[in-house]
Amino acid sequence: MAEKIKPERMRPEDYAQGGSPMSRGATYVRKEIVSKGVGFGSALAIAISFTTHKSIIWAIIHGFFSWFYVIYFALTRS
């Protein structure tokens, strides 16, 4: 059975002077997770809260609880 070949991980010092990984035909996958800012759940909770209550304080509180508030809102308003 053929073994899978792992792609070579490229570092900035491996690039040719003025070159890029694409010029060498290298491909790679970049995984990134949001580490700063407001997530989708928080933004949705803030929007729902402000539309419903017209209060910035409640919007901040509900944004803190994010998906919990979104699920609560969906269950109680249906």
PDB file of all heavy atoms in Angstrom, residues 20-59:
ATOM      1  N   SER A  20       8.342  33.460  -4.039  1.00  0.00           N
ATOM      2  CA  SER A  20       7.216  33.084  -3.198  1.00  0.00           C
ATOM      3  C   SER A  20       7.009  31.583  -3.299  1.00  0.00           C
ATOM      4  O   SER A  20       7.535  30.935  -4.196  1.00  0.00           O
ATOM      5  CB  SER A  20       5.955  33.821  -3.653  1.00  0.00           C
ATOM      6  OG  SER A  20       5.518  33.302  -4.888  1.00  0.00           O
ATOM      7  N   PRO A  21       6.239  30.986  -2.407  1.00  0.00           N
ATOM      8  CA  PRO A  21       5.972  29.553  -2.493  1.00  0.00           C
ATOM      9  C   PRO A  21       5.292  29.179  -3.800  1.00  0.00           C
ATOM     10  O   PRO A  21       5.524  28.107  -4.335  1.00  0.00           O
ATOM     11  CB  PRO A  21       5.051  29.284  -1.315  1.00  0.00           C
ATOM     12  CG  PRO A  21       5.237  30.412  -0.389  1.00  0.00           C
ATOM     13  CD  PRO A  21       5.648  31.570  -1.217  1.00  0.00           C
ATOM     14  N   MET A  22       4.452  30.063  -4.330  1.00  0.00           N
ATOM     15  CA  MET A  22       3.758  29.759  -5.574  1.00  0.00           C
ATOM     16  C   MET A  22       4.723  29.668  -6.755  1.00  0.00           C
ATOM     17  O   MET A  22       4.513  28.900  -7.667  1.00  0.00           O
ATOM     18  CB  MET A  22       2.683  30.804  -5.877  1.00  0.00           C
ATOM     19  CG  MET A  22       1.540  30.724  -4.919  1.00  0.00           C
ATOM     20  SD  MET A  22       0.806  29.099  -4.976  1.00  0.00           S
ATOM     21  CE  MET A  22      -0.641  29.378  -4.037  1.00  0.00           C
ATOM     22  N   SER A  23       5.783  30.469  -6.729  1.00  0.00           N
ATOM     23  CA  SER A  23       6.741  30.411  -7.836  1.00  0.00           C
ATOM     24  C   SER A  23       7.498  29.093  -7.847  1.00  0.00           C
ATOM     25  O   SER A  23       7.984  28.656  -8.877  1.00  0.00           O
ATOM     26  CB  SER A  23       7.726  31.585  -7.759  1.00  0.00           C
ATOM     27  OG  SER A  23       8.528  31.470  -6.594  1.00  0.00           O
ATOM     28  N   ARG A  24       7.567  28.432  -6.664  1.00  0.00           N
ATOM     29  CA  ARG A  24       8.232  27.130  -6.597  1.00  0.00           C
ATOM     30  C   ARG A  24       7.247  25.990  -6.798  1.00  0.00           C
ATOM     31  O   ARG A  24       7.631  24.828  -6.787  1.00  0.00           O
ATOM     32  CB  ARG A  24       8.901  26.974  -5.229  1.00  0.00           C
ATOM     33  CG  ARG A  24      10.063  27.912  -5.050  1.00  0.00           C
ATOM     34  CD  ARG A  24      10.733  27.799  -3.722  1.00  0.00           C
ATOM     35  NE  ARG A  24      10.642  26.477  -3.116  1.00  0.00           N
ATOM     36  CZ  ARG A  24      11.062  26.191  -1.896  1.00  0.00           C
ATOM     37  NH1 ARG A  24      11.590  27.142  -1.165  1.00  0.00           N
ATOM     38  NH2 ARG A  24      10.955  24.993  -1.399  1.00  0.00           N
ATOM     39  N   GLY A  25       5.959  26.316  -6.972  1.00  0.00           N
ATOM     40  CA  GLY A  25       4.952  25.289  -7.166  1.00  0.00           C
ATOM     41  C   GLY A  25       4.505  24.646  -5.870  1.00  0.00           C
ATOM     42  O   GLY A  25       3.857  23.609  -5.882  1.00  0.00           O
ATOM     43  N   ALA A  26       4.844  25.243  -4.733  1.00  0.00           N
ATOM     44  CA  ALA A  26       4.467  24.676  -3.440  1.00  0.00           C
ATOM     45  C   ALA A  26       3.043  25.099  -3.090  1.00  0.00           C
ATOM     46  O   ALA A  26       2.616  26.200  -3.396  1.00  0.00           O
ATOM     47  CB  ALA A  26       5.421  25.160  -2.362  1.00  0.00           C
ATOM     48  N   THR A  27       2.320  24.195  -2.488  1.00  0.00           N
ATOM     49  CA  THR A  27       0.983  24.517  -1.997  1.00  0.00           C
ATOM     50  C   THR A  27       0.914  24.148  -0.522  1.00  0.00           C
ATOM     51  O   THR A  27       1.586  23.222  -0.080  1.00  0.00           O
ATOM     52  CB  THR A  27      -0.103  23.739  -2.757  1.00  0.00           C
ATOM     53  OG1 THR A  27       0.136  22.350  -2.612  1.00  0.00           O
ATOM     54  CG2 THR A  27      -0.112  24.101  -4.223  1.00  0.00           C
ATOM     55  N   TYR A  28       0.118  24.867   0.208  1.00  0.00           N
ATOM     56  CA  TYR A  28      -0.044  24.565   1.619  1.00  0.00           C
ATOM     57  C   TYR A  28      -1.403  25.059   2.087  1.00  0.00           C
ATOM     58  O   TYR A  28      -2.038  25.884   1.446  1.00  0.00           O
ATOM     59  CB  TYR A  28       1.067  25.164   2.469  1.00  0.00           C
ATOM     60  CG  TYR A  28       1.212  26.661   2.348  1.00  0.00           C
ATOM     61  CD1 TYR A  28       0.597  27.502   3.252  1.00  0.00           C
ATOM     62  CD2 TYR A  28       1.965  27.226   1.325  1.00  0.00           C
ATOM     63  CE1 TYR A  28       0.716  28.864   3.147  1.00  0.00           C
ATOM     64  CE2 TYR A  28       2.089  28.600   1.210  1.00  0.00           C
ATOM     65  CZ  TYR A  28       1.461  29.405   2.130  1.00  0.00           C
ATOM     66  OH  TYR A  28       1.579  30.752   2.025  1.00  0.00           O
ATOM     67  N   VAL A  29      -1.856  24.547   3.209  1.00  0.00           N
ATOM     68  CA  VAL A  29      -3.138  24.931   3.787  1.00  0.00           C
ATOM     69  C   VAL A  29      -2.860  25.699   5.064  1.00  0.00           C
ATOM     70  O   VAL A  29      -2.049  25.291   5.878  1.00  0.00           O
ATOM     71  CB  VAL A  29      -3.994  23.682   4.106  1.00  0.00           C
ATOM     72  CG1 VAL A  29      -5.294  24.080   4.787  1.00  0.00           C
ATOM     73  CG2 VAL A  29      -4.256  22.891   2.853  1.00  0.00           C
ATOM     74  N   ARG A  30      -3.551  26.806   5.230  1.00  0.00           N
ATOM     75  CA  ARG A  30      -3.360  27.636   6.415  1.00  0.00           C
ATOM     76  C   ARG A  30      -4.632  27.609   7.239  1.00  0.00           C
ATOM     77  O   ARG A  30      -5.706  27.936   6.754  1.00  0.00           O
ATOM     78  CB  ARG A  30      -3.048  29.064   5.983  1.00  0.00           C
ATOM     79  CG  ARG A  30      -2.832  29.998   7.122  1.00  0.00           C
ATOM     80  CD  ARG A  30      -2.475  31.358   6.606  1.00  0.00           C
ATOM     81  NE  ARG A  30      -2.584  32.310   7.679  1.00  0.00           N
ATOM     82  CZ  ARG A  30      -2.485  33.604   7.506  1.00  0.00           C
ATOM     83  NH1 ARG A  30      -2.270  34.082   6.311  1.00  0.00           N
ATOM     84  NH2 ARG A  30      -2.588  34.411   8.516  1.00  0.00           N
ATOM     85  N   LYS A  31      -4.505  27.187   8.489  1.00  0.00           N
ATOM     86  CA  LYS A  31      -5.645  27.167   9.402  1.00  0.00           C
ATOM     87  C   LYS A  31      -5.512  28.341  10.352  1.00  0.00           C
ATOM     88  O   LYS A  31      -4.462  28.583  10.904  1.00  0.00           O
ATOM     89  CB  LYS A  31      -5.682  25.866  10.199  1.00  0.00           C
ATOM     90  CG  LYS A  31      -5.945  24.650   9.352  1.00  0.00           C
ATOM     91  CD  LYS A  31      -6.001  23.419  10.205  1.00  0.00           C
ATOM     92  CE  LYS A  31      -6.241  22.195   9.361  1.00  0.00           C
ATOM     93  NZ  LYS A  31      -6.297  20.977  10.172  1.00  0.00           N
ATOM     94  N   GLU A  32      -6.613  29.064  10.510  1.00  0.00           N
ATOM     95  CA  GLU A  32      -6.573  30.220  11.389  1.00  0.00           C
ATOM     96  C   GLU A  32      -7.875  30.294  12.169  1.00  0.00           C
ATOM     97  O   GLU A  32      -8.943  30.056  11.632  1.00  0.00           O
ATOM     98  CB  GLU A  32      -6.406  31.494  10.561  1.00  0.00           C
ATOM     99  CG  GLU A  32      -6.166  32.712  11.378  1.00  0.00           C
ATOM    100  CD  GLU A  32      -5.804  33.899  10.520  1.00  0.00           C
ATOM    101  OE1 GLU A  32      -5.041  33.727   9.575  1.00  0.00           O
ATOM    102  OE2 GLU A  32      -6.309  34.978  10.802  1.00  0.00           O
ATOM    103  N   ILE A  33      -7.791  30.618  13.434  1.00  0.00           N
ATOM    104  CA  ILE A  33      -8.950  30.744  14.298  1.00  0.00           C
ATOM    105  C   ILE A  33      -9.047  32.192  14.745  1.00  0.00           C
ATOM    106  O   ILE A  33      -8.046  32.818  15.046  1.00  0.00           O
ATOM    107  CB  ILE A  33      -8.821  29.814  15.526  1.00  0.00           C
ATOM    108  CG1 ILE A  33      -8.744  28.359  15.072  1.00  0.00           C
ATOM    109  CG2 ILE A  33      -9.975  30.030  16.488  1.00  0.00           C
ATOM    110  CD1 ILE A  33      -8.454  27.404  16.203  1.00  0.00           C
ATOM    111  N   VAL A  34     -10.256  32.702  14.794  1.00  0.00           N
ATOM    112  CA  VAL A  34     -10.438  34.081  15.239  1.00  0.00           C
ATOM    113  C   VAL A  34     -10.051  34.176  16.700  1.00  0.00           C
ATOM    114  O   VAL A  34     -10.574  33.468  17.540  1.00  0.00           O
ATOM    115  CB  VAL A  34     -11.906  34.523  15.054  1.00  0.00           C
ATOM    116  CG1 VAL A  34     -12.121  35.914  15.620  1.00  0.00           C
ATOM    117  CG2 VAL A  34     -12.286  34.470  13.597  1.00  0.00           C
ATOM    118  N   SER A  35      -9.103  35.026  16.993  1.00  0.00           N
ATOM    119  CA  SER A  35      -8.646  35.151  18.371  1.00  0.00           C
ATOM    120  C   SER A  35      -8.961  36.521  18.962  1.00  0.00           C
ATOM    121  O   SER A  35      -8.872  36.706  20.160  1.00  0.00           O
ATOM    122  CB  SER A  35      -7.141  34.897  18.455  1.00  0.00           C
ATOM    123  OG  SER A  35      -6.447  35.844  17.686  1.00  0.00           O
ATOM    124  N   LYS A  36      -9.312  37.469  18.128  1.00  0.00           N
ATOM    125  CA  LYS A  36      -9.631  38.811  18.607  1.00  0.00           C
ATOM    126  C   LYS A  36     -10.895  39.285  17.920  1.00  0.00           C
ATOM    127  O   LYS A  36     -11.194  38.884  16.811  1.00  0.00           O
ATOM    128  CB  LYS A  36      -8.497  39.783  18.292  1.00  0.00           C
ATOM    129  CG  LYS A  36      -7.209  39.446  18.993  1.00  0.00           C
ATOM    130  CD  LYS A  36      -6.136  40.428  18.636  1.00  0.00           C
ATOM    131  CE  LYS A  36      -4.841  40.034  19.305  1.00  0.00           C
ATOM    132  NZ  LYS A  36      -3.734  40.870  18.919  1.00  0.00           N
ATOM    133  N   GLY A  37     -11.601  40.146  18.571  1.00  0.00           N
ATOM    134  CA  GLY A  37     -12.791  40.704  17.968  1.00  0.00           C
ATOM    135  C   GLY A  37     -14.054  40.012  18.446  1.00  0.00           C
ATOM    136  O   GLY A  37     -14.034  39.165  19.327  1.00  0.00           O
ATOM    137  N   VAL A  38     -15.159  40.400  17.840  1.00  0.00           N
ATOM    138  CA  VAL A  38     -16.465  39.884  18.215  1.00  0.00           C
ATOM    139  C   VAL A  38     -16.822  38.742  17.278  1.00  0.00           C
ATOM    140  O   VAL A  38     -16.722  38.870  16.069  1.00  0.00           O
ATOM    141  CB  VAL A  38     -17.522  41.005  18.117  1.00  0.00           C
ATOM    142  CG1 VAL A  38     -18.908  40.483  18.426  1.00  0.00           C
ATOM    143  CG2 VAL A  38     -17.170  42.139  19.049  1.00  0.00           C
ATOM    144  N   GLY A  39     -17.243  37.629  17.850  1.00  0.00           N
ATOM    145  CA  GLY A  39     -17.649  36.492  17.047  1.00  0.00           C
ATOM    146  C   GLY A  39     -19.049  36.672  16.489  1.00  0.00           C
ATOM    147  O   GLY A  39     -19.783  37.597  16.856  1.00  0.00           O
ATOM    148  N   PHE A  40     -19.440  35.769  15.607  1.00  0.00           N
ATOM    149  CA  PHE A  40     -20.753  35.857  14.971  1.00  0.00           C
ATOM    150  C   PHE A  40     -21.878  35.743  15.998  1.00  0.00           C
ATOM    151  O   PHE A  40     -22.875  36.464  15.920  1.00  0.00           O
ATOM    152  CB  PHE A  40     -20.892  34.766  13.904  1.00  0.00           C
ATOM    153  CG  PHE A  40     -22.221  34.791  13.210  1.00  0.00           C
ATOM    154  CD1 PHE A  40     -22.519  35.782  12.302  1.00  0.00           C
ATOM    155  CD2 PHE A  40     -23.179  33.825  13.481  1.00  0.00           C
ATOM    156  CE1 PHE A  40     -23.748  35.823  11.672  1.00  0.00           C
ATOM    157  CE2 PHE A  40     -24.412  33.856  12.855  1.00  0.00           C
ATOM    158  CZ  PHE A  40     -24.697  34.848  11.946  1.00  0.00           C
ATOM    159  N   GLY A  41     -21.735  34.844  16.969  1.00  0.00           N
ATOM    160  CA  GLY A  41     -22.770  34.673  17.990  1.00  0.00           C
ATOM    161  C   GLY A  41     -22.981  35.925  18.811  1.00  0.00           C
ATOM    162  O   GLY A  41     -24.119  36.310  19.113  1.00  0.00           O
ATOM    163  N   SER A  42     -21.895  36.574  19.174  1.00  0.00           N
ATOM    164  CA  SER A  42     -22.003  37.816  19.958  1.00  0.00           C
ATOM    165  C   SER A  42     -22.651  38.922  19.135  1.00  0.00           C
ATOM    166  O   SER A  42     -23.507  39.654  19.643  1.00  0.00           O
ATOM    167  CB  SER A  42     -20.628  38.269  20.426  1.00  0.00           C
ATOM    168  OG  SER A  42     -20.076  37.344  21.313  1.00  0.00           O
ATOM    169  N   ALA A  43     -22.252  39.048  17.885  1.00  0.00           N
ATOM    170  CA  ALA A  43     -22.834  40.084  17.025  1.00  0.00           C
ATOM    171  C   ALA A  43     -24.322  39.848  16.812  1.00  0.00           C
ATOM    172  O   ALA A  43     -25.127  40.790  16.837  1.00  0.00           O
ATOM    173  CB  ALA A  43     -22.100  40.125  15.687  1.00  0.00           C
ATOM    174  N   LEU A  44     -24.707  38.584  16.619  1.00  0.00           N
ATOM    175  CA  LEU A  44     -26.118  38.255  16.445  1.00  0.00           C
ATOM    176  C   LEU A  44     -26.911  38.551  17.713  1.00  0.00           C
ATOM    177  O   LEU A  44     -27.999  39.140  17.653  1.00  0.00           O
ATOM    178  CB  LEU A  44     -26.251  36.780  16.058  1.00  0.00           C
ATOM    179  CG  LEU A  44     -27.650  36.277  15.755  1.00  0.00           C
ATOM    180  CD1 LEU A  44     -28.253  37.045  14.597  1.00  0.00           C
ATOM    181  CD2 LEU A  44     -27.591  34.790  15.444  1.00  0.00           C
ATOM    182  N   ALA A  45     -26.362  38.181  18.866  1.00  0.00           N
ATOM    183  CA  ALA A  45     -27.041  38.442  20.139  1.00  0.00           C
ATOM    184  C   ALA A  45     -27.197  39.943  20.381  1.00  0.00           C
ATOM    185  O   ALA A  45     -28.256  40.401  20.838  1.00  0.00           O
ATOM    186  CB  ALA A  45     -26.263  37.799  21.287  1.00  0.00           C
ATOM    187  N   ILE A  46     -26.174  40.716  20.070  1.00  0.00           N
ATOM    188  CA  ILE A  46     -26.241  42.171  20.252  1.00  0.00           C
ATOM    189  C   ILE A  46     -27.298  42.772  19.334  1.00  0.00           C
ATOM    190  O   ILE A  46     -28.093  43.620  19.756  1.00  0.00           O
ATOM    191  CB  ILE A  46     -24.856  42.812  20.009  1.00  0.00           C
ATOM    192  CG1 ILE A  46     -23.908  42.424  21.145  1.00  0.00           C
ATOM    193  CG2 ILE A  46     -24.962  44.318  19.868  1.00  0.00           C
ATOM    194  CD1 ILE A  46     -22.455  42.756  20.878  1.00  0.00           C
ATOM    195  N   ALA A  47     -27.331  42.324  18.093  1.00  0.00           N
ATOM    196  CA  ALA A  47     -28.319  42.857  17.146  1.00  0.00           C
ATOM    197  C   ALA A  47     -29.741  42.509  17.570  1.00  0.00           C
ATOM    198  O   ALA A  47     -30.632  43.374  17.552  1.00  0.00           O
ATOM    199  CB  ALA A  47     -28.037  42.311  15.750  1.00  0.00           C
ATOM    200  N   ILE A  48     -29.972  41.266  17.960  1.00  0.00           N
ATOM    201  CA  ILE A  48     -31.306  40.859  18.410  1.00  0.00           C
ATOM    202  C   ILE A  48     -31.700  41.638  19.664  1.00  0.00           C
ATOM    203  O   ILE A  48     -32.816  42.156  19.765  1.00  0.00           O
ATOM    204  CB  ILE A  48     -31.342  39.345  18.693  1.00  0.00           C
ATOM    205  CG1 ILE A  48     -31.228  38.562  17.395  1.00  0.00           C
ATOM    206  CG2 ILE A  48     -32.623  38.966  19.425  1.00  0.00           C
ATOM    207  CD1 ILE A  48     -31.031  37.062  17.606  1.00  0.00           C
ATOM    208  N   SER A  49     -30.796  41.738  20.613  1.00  0.00           N
ATOM    209  CA  SER A  49     -31.091  42.410  21.875  1.00  0.00           C
ATOM    210  C   SER A  49     -31.400  43.881  21.672  1.00  0.00           C
ATOM    211  O   SER A  49     -32.374  44.403  22.224  1.00  0.00           O
ATOM    212  CB  SER A  49     -29.916  42.250  22.835  1.00  0.00           C
ATOM    213  OG  SER A  49     -30.172  42.933  24.029  1.00  0.00           O
ATOM    214  N   PHE A  50     -30.589  44.560  20.878  1.00  0.00           N
ATOM    215  CA  PHE A  50     -30.810  45.993  20.685  1.00  0.00           C
ATOM    216  C   PHE A  50     -32.104  46.247  19.921  1.00  0.00           C
ATOM    217  O   PHE A  50     -32.832  47.198  20.223  1.00  0.00           O
ATOM    218  CB  PHE A  50     -29.633  46.645  19.962  1.00  0.00           C
ATOM    219  CG  PHE A  50     -29.733  48.136  19.943  1.00  0.00           C
ATOM    220  CD1 PHE A  50     -29.446  48.865  21.085  1.00  0.00           C
ATOM    221  CD2 PHE A  50     -30.143  48.814  18.812  1.00  0.00           C
ATOM    222  CE1 PHE A  50     -29.561  50.246  21.095  1.00  0.00           C
ATOM    223  CE2 PHE A  50     -30.261  50.190  18.810  1.00  0.00           C
ATOM    224  CZ  PHE A  50     -29.969  50.914  19.948  1.00  0.00           C
ATOM    225  N   THR A  51     -32.408  45.388  18.945  1.00  0.00           N
ATOM    226  CA  THR A  51     -33.658  45.538  18.206  1.00  0.00           C
ATOM    227  C   THR A  51     -34.857  45.321  19.111  1.00  0.00           C
ATOM    228  O   THR A  51     -35.867  46.024  19.004  1.00  0.00           O
ATOM    229  CB  THR A  51     -33.706  44.527  17.037  1.00  0.00           C
ATOM    230  OG1 THR A  51     -32.575  44.747  16.206  1.00  0.00           O
ATOM    231  CG2 THR A  51     -34.969  44.688  16.218  1.00  0.00           C
ATOM    232  N   THR A  52     -34.752  44.369  20.008  1.00  0.00           N
ATOM    233  CA  THR A  52     -35.874  44.035  20.899  1.00  0.00           C
ATOM    234  C   THR A  52     -36.028  45.027  22.040  1.00  0.00           C
ATOM    235  O   THR A  52     -37.129  45.507  22.309  1.00  0.00           O
ATOM    236  CB  THR A  52     -35.680  42.624  21.485  1.00  0.00           C
ATOM    237  OG1 THR A  52     -35.510  41.703  20.415  1.00  0.00           O
ATOM    238  CG2 THR A  52     -36.870  42.207  22.319  1.00  0.00           C
ATOM    239  N   HIS A  53     -34.937  45.358  22.740  1.00  0.00           N
ATOM    240  CA  HIS A  53     -35.013  46.140  23.969  1.00  0.00           C
ATOM    241  C   HIS A  53     -34.641  47.618  23.815  1.00  0.00           C
ATOM    242  O   HIS A  53     -34.893  48.410  24.718  1.00  0.00           O
ATOM    243  CB  HIS A  53     -34.102  45.529  25.044  1.00  0.00           C
ATOM    244  CG  HIS A  53     -34.437  44.109  25.359  1.00  0.00           C
ATOM    245  ND1 HIS A  53     -35.565  43.737  26.032  1.00  0.00           N
ATOM    246  CD2 HIS A  53     -33.785  42.950  25.058  1.00  0.00           C
ATOM    247  CE1 HIS A  53     -35.605  42.426  26.159  1.00  0.00           C
ATOM    248  NE2 HIS A  53     -34.533  41.919  25.566  1.00  0.00           N
ATOM    249  N   LYS A  54     -34.000  47.994  22.723  1.00  0.00           N
ATOM    250  CA  LYS A  54     -33.546  49.377  22.495  1.00  0.00           C
ATOM    251  C   LYS A  54     -32.672  49.880  23.641  1.00  0.00           C
ATOM    252  O   LYS A  54     -32.780  51.021  24.073  1.00  0.00           O
ATOM    253  CB  LYS A  54     -34.730  50.326  22.309  1.00  0.00           C
ATOM    254  CG  LYS A  54     -35.667  49.955  21.190  1.00  0.00           C
ATOM    255  CD  LYS A  54     -35.043  50.152  19.844  1.00  0.00           C
ATOM    256  CE  LYS A  54     -36.076  49.996  18.758  1.00  0.00           C
ATOM    257  NZ  LYS A  54     -35.797  48.930  17.845  1.00  0.00           N
ATOM    258  N   SER A  55     -31.794  48.996  24.146  1.00  0.00           N
ATOM    259  CA  SER A  55     -30.927  49.348  25.272  1.00  0.00           C
ATOM    260  C   SER A  55     -29.510  48.844  25.001  1.00  0.00           C
ATOM    261  O   SER A  55     -29.310  47.659  24.717  1.00  0.00           O
ATOM    262  CB  SER A  55     -31.465  48.714  26.556  1.00  0.00           C
ATOM    263  OG  SER A  55     -30.511  48.854  27.587  1.00  0.00           O
ATOM    264  N   ILE A  56     -28.549  49.751  25.117  1.00  0.00           N
ATOM    265  CA  ILE A  56     -27.157  49.368  24.900  1.00  0.00           C
ATOM    266  C   ILE A  56     -26.660  48.466  26.029  1.00  0.00           C
ATOM    267  O   ILE A  56     -25.910  47.520  25.792  1.00  0.00           O
ATOM    268  CB  ILE A  56     -26.271  50.627  24.772  1.00  0.00           C
ATOM    269  CG1 ILE A  56     -26.645  51.385  23.496  1.00  0.00           C
ATOM    270  CG2 ILE A  56     -24.797  50.256  24.757  1.00  0.00           C
ATOM    271  CD1 ILE A  56     -25.942  52.693  23.316  1.00  0.00           C
ATOM    272  N   ILE A  57     -27.092  48.733  27.247  1.00  0.00           N
ATOM    273  CA  ILE A  57     -26.667  47.911  28.395  1.00  0.00           C
ATOM    274  C   ILE A  57     -27.104  46.463  28.206  1.00  0.00           C
ATOM    275  O   ILE A  57     -26.308  45.535  28.386  1.00  0.00           O
ATOM    276  CB  ILE A  57     -27.235  48.485  29.727  1.00  0.00           C
ATOM    277  CG1 ILE A  57     -26.716  49.903  29.964  1.00  0.00           C
ATOM    278  CG2 ILE A  57     -26.889  47.574  30.891  1.00  0.00           C
ATOM    279  CD1 ILE A  57     -25.214  50.020  30.078  1.00  0.00           C
ATOM    280  N   TRP A  58     -28.399  46.262  27.856  1.00  0.00           N
ATOM    281  CA  TRP A  58     -28.871  44.893  27.629  1.00  0.00           C
ATOM    282  C   TRP A  58     -28.151  44.254  26.440  1.00  0.00           C
ATOM    283  O   TRP A  58     -27.863  43.057  26.446  1.00  0.00           O
ATOM    284  CB  TRP A  58     -30.384  44.861  27.408  1.00  0.00           C
ATOM    285  CG  TRP A  58     -31.149  44.875  28.683  1.00  0.00           C
ATOM    286  CD1 TRP A  58     -31.982  45.861  29.116  1.00  0.00           C
ATOM    287  CD2 TRP A  58     -31.136  43.879  29.705  1.00  0.00           C
ATOM    288  NE1 TRP A  58     -32.492  45.541  30.345  1.00  0.00           N
ATOM    289  CE2 TRP A  58     -31.988  44.323  30.734  1.00  0.00           C
ATOM    290  CE3 TRP A  58     -30.487  42.668  29.869  1.00  0.00           C
ATOM    291  CZ2 TRP A  58     -32.215  43.591  31.892  1.00  0.00           C
ATOM    292  CZ3 TRP A  58     -30.711  41.932  31.021  1.00  0.00           C
ATOM    293  CH2 TRP A  58     -31.562  42.394  32.011  1.00  0.00           C
ATOM    294  N   ALA A  59     -27.853  45.032  25.418  1.00  0.00           N
ATOM    295  CA  ALA A  59     -27.138  44.499  24.254  1.00  0.00           C
ATOM    296  C   ALA A  59     -25.748  44.007  24.652  1.00  0.00           C
ATOM    297  O   ALA A  59     -25.300  42.946  24.197  1.00  0.00           O
ATOM    298  CB  ALA A  59     -27.025  45.564  23.162  1.00  0.00           C
TER     299      ALA A  59
END
